[in-house]
Amino acid sequence: MILKRTVDLLEIKRFMMLPEIYSLASEDGASLNPDFTESGREVWVLAIEDDSVVGIVHCHLENGAAAWFHPYILRSHKKEYLSLGKLFLQWFDKYFPVEIQKLNAYIPTYAKKAYQVAMSAGFKDEGLNRMSYKKNGKLWDRHLVGVIRGELNV
């Protein structure tokens, strides 16, 4: 698997709107025709295997020191989810400005495997955002996880 930054909004939308990806990426009430953007404050990175896009990472700045991290991978490649996360951490370390010292992610408490993968990739649990995500008609808590650049094992 290799990672490649893209600014192709049609390619981003095509992947993100796949039912198996969009169902993970959106909460109840989300637009069925969302706008995807690419700017100086956010990046989209494709995970490519055998010339096919198998995953994507959306990363956007929160402020001058931290960014949010959202990885998605096709079910057929879910065994490579940890590899995707670790590859992105290497990509982050190499290409993001050193001023961005931290990556954060929210993981709904029902997504136990995603949480385990984040912990295995080196993220730390930084608390719980209670009742903050609506999915399938139910409110869920979300783990706040983060990793500081100096903690990366790249």
Side-chain angles (χ1 to χ4, degrees), residues 7-26:
V7 295
D8 184 339
L9 297 178
L10 289 176
E11 185 171 34
I12 293 165
K13 187 168 188 168
R14 195 171 22 255
F15 188 85
M16 290 301 297
M17 294 307 295
L18 291 171
E20 68 178 282
I21 300 299
Y22 193 68
S23 67
L24 298 172
S26 65

Side-chain angles (χ1 to χ4, degrees), residues 23-35:
S23 67
L24 298 172
S26 65
E27 68 179 310
D28 291 358
S31 170
L32 295 178
N33 190 25
D35 288 324

